[in-house]
Amino acid sequence: MAHPVSSLWGRYRSVPLIYRIFVAFVLGSVAGIAFGERMTVVEPLGDLFLRLLNMLVIPIIVFTLLTGIRQLSPARLGRIGGATVALYAVTTTIAGIIGLVVANVLQPGRGVEFAGGEAQSQTPPSLTEVVLGIVPSNPAAAMSEGNLLATVFFVIVFGIALTYVRARQDDLADSVDSLFEAFEVAAEAMFVVVRGVLEYGVIGVFALMAAGIGTEGIGVFTSLGALVLAVAVAVTIHIVVTYLFLLMGVVAGVSPIAFLAGAKDAMLTAFATRSSSGTLPVTMQNADEDLRIKEHVYSFALPVGATANMDGAAIRQAITVMFAANVVGQPLALTEQAFVLLVAVLISIGTAGVPGAGIVMLTVILTQVGLPLEVVGFVAGVDPILGRIATMNNVTGDLAISTVVGKWNDAIDLEEGVWAKGRDHLGPVVPGGD
């Protein structure tokens, strides 16, 4: 007879992880609302979850990217990289346009009294600094500091160099293959660790939501509710129209519902952690095990997307600037709105790795259109919830674009994972059908 504790643990584990995390998410939010700042006592449990996730980011990038490069020629890597970056640029532009349209329709900030506030300004990086920052002066330092773009750049260069050494067909070729095999073993080991961390994530997500809502208060959803609502509406439209309808349904020709089923773990984790890079281990696991994207695609597309794909930020900044203009009684003309869109898209990549990136972007755009920086302090109260919504959007976009690039390069298994489950729900395929 099984021990009662073992039996109870087995029943707990039989419930899909995403459901357990969702319940923890809801219970944590309820606890934060009910007990307020007293729930900060569990904050260290949430911080531990974030530290565990961040601990995994650089090793997973290094090992999975090197394993993926083993299967790529430089030309193929160029095709995958070019398509990935181009899609990120296109969807970020679409996101900014959607944000402006929603802001013009809902007009957040109309009738809101501006009570001033302390401006939070940081100097944004210049274009030269952004470009030079991609190339690390010290690769080890870039990894230790969590500089994702610099780490990705070095690992790609190093991996391509290994493929050239292997192609020389000399005594070192076998050694290179052995090295690649070691990287593959390390990558698999890291995914085992990810599964363990996600088991703890049930506690971590509860603590994050309880402490976050307890500190911020339910007022974070109501004091500037029009701004939060506008961002939520725009993100929903972007996910449904751009990712699900256009990218999944039209471009990739796959089931949008199946895609959501494969991305839901990363989406929920992103909302809870407010960190695209911190969510990266979960995002990669969804890409590998659920969406069945080949490693040489997602090991490139996802790390780049975690830093460079700022669809959510583009939406958030466009709407927040429109909100600020309405609050101070200086509505923006269409030409000024077009300028806001351009600035938001161009600086999104440059500020992605800067602490308080949303504040940096907002400060820059407000300055460019001549709005007072004091508005930054006014909207700071809802910055945490806006960050959660934007991060969830970014992570969803990372997986959507990885799926499209995988489909274009015949690097996705549509017979397995969520795709197969989706067909099971639809019933047998009719012979001769599309």
Side-chain angles (χ1 to χ4, degrees):
M1 182 177 179
H3 192 279
V5 175
S6 299
S7 177
L8 184 62
W9 175 248
R11 291 171 62 186
Y12 169 78
R13 288 290 305 278
S14 67
V15 178
L17 180 62
I18 185 61
Y19 298 144
R20 287 182 271 148
I21 289 180
F22 180 74
V23 170
F25 179 91
V26 173
L27 292 179
S29 300
V30 171
I33 294 171
F35 299 104
E37 292 189 3
R38 284 177 289 177
M39 291 308 299
T40 55
V41 68
V42 301
E43 189 171 10
L45 298 177
D47 291 340
L48 175 59
F49 180 49
L50 294 179
R51 290 178 72 92
L52 287 169
L53 286 173
N54 286 324
M55 175 189 74
L56 298 172
V57 171
I58 294 299
I60 281 185
I61 287 176
V62 172
F63 296 135
T64 58
L65 191 50
L66 286 171
T67 302
I69 288 175
R70 179 187 187 183
Q71 308 168 41
L72 291 174
S73 65
R76 192 176 183 191
L77 179 61
R79 289 198 302 273
I80 291 175
T84 300
V85 172
L87 283 173
Y88 283 149
V90 169
T91 58
T92 300
T93 303
I94 293 173
I97 293 172
I98 290 174
L100 289 175
V101 170
V102 169
N104 278 283
V105 172
L106 298 184
Q107 292 292 333
R110 284 282 177 90
V112 176
E113 182 181 353
F114 177 54
E118 182 180 353
Q120 302 176 34
S121 177
Q122 299 182 42
T123 303
S126 66
L127 179 59
T128 301
E129 290 173 329
V130 171
V131 173
L132 292 178
I134 297 175
V135 182
S137 57
N138 184 336
M143 293 179 189
S144 66
E145 294 167 2
N147 189 333
L148 297 191
L149 276 181
T151 298
V152 168
F153 178 85
F154 173 76
V155 173
I156 289 175
V157 171
F158 179 65
I160 292 175
L162 285 177
T163 63
Y164 276 106
V165 172
R166 181 180 58 184
R168 295 191 320 211
Q169 299 296 325
D170 56 16
D171 295 338
L172 292 178
D174 291 339
S175 299
V176 172
D177 280 328
S178 298
L179 188 59
F180 274 127
E181 289 172 3
F183 292 144
E184 187 170 354
V185 171
E188 287 300 318
M190 292 309 303
F191 280 117
V192 172
V193 179
V194 168
R195 296 185 189 101
V197 170
L198 288 181
E199 286 295 336
Y200 174 74
V202 177
I203 298 173
V205 167
F206 171 86
L208 286 171
M209 296 309 300
I213 298 298
T215 301
E216 299 158 10
I218 190 62
V220 76
F221 296 99
T222 58
S223 62
L224 297 173
L227 175 59
V228 175
L229 175 64
V231 172
V233 168
V235 164
T236 301
I237 292 172
H238 189 50
I239 289 176
V240 172
V241 175
T242 307
Y243 299 152
L244 300 184
F245 176 71
L246 291 178
L247 291 185
M248 295 301 99
V250 177
V251 178
V254 297
S255 167
I257 302 301
F259 169 77
L260 279 181
K264 62 182 183 298
D265 294 16
M267 293 172 69
L268 185 56
T269 303
F271 190 89
T273 63
R274 293 172 55 198
S275 171
S276 295
S277 58
T279 307
L280 191 56
V282 184
T283 313
M284 283 192 164
Q285 185 182 47
N286 279 168
D288 183 71
E289 298 181 1
D290 300 308
L291 297 174
R292 308 301 290 178
I293 303 168
K294 297 296 176 63
E295 190 171 28
H296 62 268
V297 170
Y298 75 72
S299 63
F300 174 86
L302 294 180
V304 173
T307 302
N309 182 30
M310 292 290 110
D311 290 15
I315 288 174
R316 173 186 174 188
Q317 299 307 325
I319 292 178
T320 303
V321 171
M322 293 287 288
F323 171 87
N326 287 336
V327 163
V328 300
Q330 299 178 26
L332 299 180
L334 286 178
T335 53
E336 292 174 309
Q337 293 182 34
F339 182 71
V340 167
L341 173 65
L342 177 63
V343 173
V345 171
L346 289 179
I347 70 173
S348 62
I349 295 177
T351 57
V354 180
I359 297 301
V360 174
M361 291 180 67
L362 181 56
T363 300
V364 174
I365 300 174
L366 288 175
T367 301
Q368 294 297 315
V369 295
L371 293 173
L373 293 182
E374 285 75 15
V375 176
V376 176
F378 185 59
V379 303
V382 292
D383 185 70
I385 188 64
L386 297 181
R388 296 180 192 277
I389 297 171
T391 303
M392 181 189 68
N393 184 104
N394 293 342
V395 168
T396 308
D398 295 345
L399 284 171
I401 287 173
S402 297
T403 301
V404 171
V405 174
K407 181 70 183 299
W408 283 349
N409 290 273
D410 194 25
I412 184 170
D413 188 352
L414 297 176
E415 303 299 323
E416 300 291 339
V418 293
W419 314 114
K421 294 177 184 177
R423 282 196 304 276
D424 291 341
H425 293 310
L426 293 174
V429 178
V430 179
D434 292 337

